[in-house]
Amino acid sequence: MLASAAVLTAIAPIALPAPAMANSPAPAAAAAGRHAGPDVISTQAADVYPEGVAWDPTRRAFLVGSALKGTLSVIRLDGTVKELAPSIGMVSTLGIRVDTARNRILVAYSDFWIRQRLEVGDQPPTSGVAVFALDTGKLQRRIDVAQGLPRTFANDLTFDPQGNIYVTDSVSDTLKRIDLAGHVTPVVTDPRFAAQIVGLNGIVWHPDGYLLAVRYDDGRMFRIRPDAPADRKVAEVNLPEPLVGTDGLGLRSDGSLVVVTNSIGAAVGAPGGVDAVKVVGSRDGWRSATVRSRVDPWPVGGPTTVAVTPYGDYVLSGEVGTVLVGNTSDRIVLRRIPCSAAKFEGQVTSSTSTSSKGNVR
């Protein structure tokens, strides 16, 4: 989540007039062909500061939340930004997933960061999952996962083929599940998940029947089998290096995992990594993993997560860290990972859709 701003010299946002939602593409987006996504979508929208992103195959566009306003917006390939759902309150809308099979958008929300910047009155610590209708953007329900906890931080989420939602709480030692009826139950409580600021963060569902999740602060990855016996639910994945600063994850159709790391947690007391994007793979069912490629540093400061799309993998930088340290910016950049476009040419996004500078190694 959060930003140490690097300078992107190759692509600069176009100066726009003052409306709250500016609708203007960067030159790279405007030049894109109808079926070939742009390398960079650079646009502006006031007071959005998106941290989470997902690809919406029904609109052929991106959905983003707002770390400051608790809204949901659409960003099209040409850079146009339009609000889809108004604010759901004094919260940040964070991790996003699109469930086309059930016509829903799933959004993790929390007031954890809002409390660092704004007065929330008598609002108790708040975390949950908001469910929106995919076709209309209408809010259908809010599901509380805080359950009276004095500290709570619902940060990211994913879902399985049955529609169960899994939510990471970055200051808790418990991973929670929400069934289709909205009932919240613990999947597992593990001391390796607990943290003071940002622990367990990015999470994905693997089609082989388990979850992969990574801690932001120390970069450990866990393989979690929700229905396994209690003593066999959680196993730490053997990594060649800690993935410190991991914020968002994206699972590709080839089974590899896109890992987005950033340095911006340091601004609020959480150890951070570097602004980078890595592709991680496994040959043994994610008992161990290796880094297959990386872009380090990522050319846009403060990347938070990735959307896997038919046009390639797009990494979001929404200036979240800027607002956390009390500054302002209206820039939003979605930049495609080099060489990620060709492998998705002609493919259809599944119903479990998620989410030139720098050194590619």
Side-chain angles (χ1 to χ4, degrees):
M1 296 180 5
L2 320 153
S4 84
V7 177
L8 177 59
T9 56
I11 308 289
I14 297 174
L16 296 174
M21 282 294 193
N23 300 328
S24 179
R34 180 180 176 187
H35 298 294
D39 287 332
V40 179
I41 301 166
S42 183
T43 189
Q44 292 169 287
D47 295 332
V48 178
Y49 303 100
E51 189 270 349
V53 64
W55 175 251
D56 176 1
T58 68
R59 292 179 173 83
R60 304 184 75 81
F62 300 93
L63 302 180
V64 298
S66 171
L68 186 63
K69 295 294 187 180
T71 57
L72 193 62
S73 299
V74 177
I75 301 180
R76 299 199 175 275
L77 291 170
D78 65 1
T80 302
V81 184
K82 183 178 181 180
E83 186 175 281
L84 177 63
S87 174
I88 60 171
M90 294 281 288
V91 295
S92 302
T93 38
L94 301 168
I96 304 173
R97 293 289 185 267
V98 173
D99 182 0
T100 56
R102 299 172 185 85
N103 187 44
R104 59 183 186 164
I105 306 165
L106 309 174
V107 181
Y109 66 85
S110 174
D111 69 352
F112 186 84
W113 293 124
I114 294 289
R115 287 174 176 272
Q116 319 298 315
R117 302 294 311 146
L118 302 171
E119 292 293 331
V120 297
D122 59 359
Q123 176 172 294
T126 302
S127 280
V129 171
V131 181
F132 299 86
L134 176 58
D135 54 352
T136 65
K138 183 178 180 180
L139 178 66
Q140 295 180 323
R141 60 169 24 173
R142 290 176 60 161
I143 304 165
D144 172 51
V145 299
Q147 299 178 317
L149 292 172
R151 299 180 74 247
T152 180
F153 186 8
N155 199 335
D156 201 6
L157 78 174
T158 189
F159 64 96
D160 66 20
Q162 289 72 46
N164 297 303
I165 303 166
Y166 300 88
V167 190
T168 58
D169 185 325
S170 293
V171 295
S172 173
D173 59 0
T174 301
L175 177 70
K176 293 180 180 177
R177 172 168 46 200
I178 305 170
D179 66 17
L180 284 173
H183 300 134
V184 181
T185 54
V187 175
V188 62
T189 297
D190 193 298
R192 290 173 290 182
F193 296 167
Q196 286 299 309
I197 303 293
V198 189
L200 210 61
N201 193 343
I203 189 168
V204 295
W205 174 263
H206 193 282
D208 287 343
Y210 50 83
L211 299 152
L212 296 172
V214 183
R215 283 186 66 119
Y216 181 90
D217 53 4
D218 64 19
R220 286 186 288 171
M221 179 185 289
F222 299 97
R223 182 180 185 267
I224 305 163
R225 298 167 59 204
D227 298 323
D231 60 345
R232 296 170 57 191
K233 282 182 184 286
V234 182
E236 187 170 339
V237 178
N238 184 21
L239 298 171
E241 61 189 67
L243 300 171
V244 177
T246 293
D247 200 336
L249 305 174
L251 188 65
R252 288 171 159 177
S253 60
D254 66 0
S256 60
L257 191 66
V258 181
V259 178
V260 179
T261 67
N262 59 51
S263 60
I264 53 188
V268 289
V274 297
D275 292 344
V277 175
K278 302 173 184 179
V279 177
V280 179
S282 175
R283 296 181 180 274
D284 59 5
W286 292 93
R287 291 165 181 82
S288 65
T290 58
V291 178
R292 295 180 178 175
S293 65
R294 69 179 77 202
V295 182
D296 182 359
W298 188 248
V300 191
T304 52
T305 192
V306 62
V308 177
T309 88
Y311 305 101
D313 309 330
Y314 283 83
V315 175
L316 170 69
S317 297
E319 300 285 3
V320 178
T322 299
V323 72
L324 282 177
V325 296
N327 297 323
T328 61
S329 174
D330 58 6
R331 185 178 71 152
I332 302 171
V333 179
L334 286 154
R335 189 179 182 101
R336 184 163 55 193
I337 299 173
C339 305
S340 70
K343 67 177 64 181
F344 291 96
E345 193 74 30
Q347 292 187 9
V348 178
T349 303
S350 74
S351 63
T352 55
S353 145
T354 47
S355 72
S356 56
K357 284 189 174 283
N359 303 310
V360 183
R361 299 199 289 274

